[in-house]
Amino acid sequence: MMQETLRLFVAAALPQDLKEYLVQARQAYDEPGIRAVPTENLHLTLFFLGNVAGSALADIRQTLTQVAQRYEPFVLTLEQVEPGPKRTVPRLIWARFEPHPGFTQLSRELTQLLSATPPKQEKFIPHITLCRFRKDLPVPAHLPLVTPDQKMVFPVNTLALWQSQLASPHPVYTIMETFGLGGT
């Protein structure tokens, strides 16, 4: 008998005003070689688990409950929408936020607790993937940088366990359960 596997990640859902701003900002990247991530799929990843046995779900939920209770809500500030992670050889268009110790600590702890083999050193950059480059076309040259006209913030009050079901042309993401930070 085959065991059910689920493709999972831990992420924070976006508030509607930030989602609307990012959908508008990514219009600067309307190019044939760039495809937008569906609006309903936009999220702030904290940790990608990958394919997990369904039998591990109860332990994952328990871990997320405990971790969420140890962290207070925090606020991220949008720095820029840009090609990244390296501008010279980008792989995607992302909304990059200013570094924040709460995000870094939370991502690091989730990685340590949920990864089968935690990486020794990892940079935790708070970001939202807005667009991906098509593999069959060259990366467009001279891509703009979009800086918000006014301060855009993202209050992170919860984290959620998401399921990713691979489909064409985009995966389908579903929030399975939400966990309030600081016991909220």
Side-chain angles (χ1 to χ4, degrees):
M1 186 169 101
M2 259 180 66
Q3 186 174 24
E4 176 193 24
T5 61
L6 303 166
R7 186 176 165 87
L8 303 175
F9 61 95
V10 180
L14 307 185
Q16 191 60 35
D17 62 334
L18 178 60
K19 194 181 289 190
E20 289 169 5
Y21 172 80
L22 295 175
V23 167
Q24 181 183 357
R26 75 176 174 200
Q27 291 175 1
Y29 303 97
D30 189 15
E31 301 257 351
I34 300 175
R35 61 184 177 91
V37 171
T39 303
E40 62 274 12
N41 283 3
L42 296 177
H43 63 275
L44 175 78
T45 302
L46 293 158
F47 179 69
F48 181 76
L49 285 92
N51 291 321
V52 175
S55 60
L57 207 48
D59 288 341
I60 292 169
R61 284 183 161 125
Q62 182 178 4
T63 298
L64 294 178
T65 299
Q66 292 168 351
V67 169
Q69 289 174 350
R70 288 196 290 271
Y71 285 85
E72 290 301 315
F74 55 92
V75 177
L76 295 173
T77 302
L78 179 62
E79 198 162 337
Q80 196 160 260
V81 174
E82 62 189 16
K86 294 181 182 173
R87 271 192 218 151
T88 53
V89 285
R91 291 180 305 152
L92 47 88
I93 303 297
W94 66 357
R96 185 176 46 79
F97 293 81
E98 293 175 3
H100 191 286
F103 173 85
T104 300
Q105 291 166 357
L106 179 56
S107 294
R108 182 174 287 128
E109 183 168 356
L110 289 169
T111 301
Q112 293 297 322
L113 294 174
L114 297 173
S115 178
T117 54
K120 295 199 180 350
Q121 203 80 16
E122 184 162 342
K123 250 184 143 170
F124 297 98
I125 300 169
H127 71 277
I128 298 164
T129 301
L130 301 176
C131 304
R132 296 190 186 284
F133 295 114
R134 289 183 45 175
K135 291 179 171 67
D136 60 334
L137 294 173
V139 173
H142 311 293
L143 293 168
L145 307 178
V146 180
T147 305
D149 295 335
Q150 59 187 27
K151 188 175 180 176
M152 291 294 303
V153 296
F154 178 3
V156 180
N157 303 313
T158 62
L159 55 88
L161 180 61
W162 298 56
Q163 181 176 4
S164 169
Q165 294 173 300
L166 298 179
S168 184
H170 301 281
V172 176
Y173 297 158
T174 308
I175 295 176
M176 297 176 72
E177 189 170 345
T178 300
F179 306 86
L181 295 181
T184 58

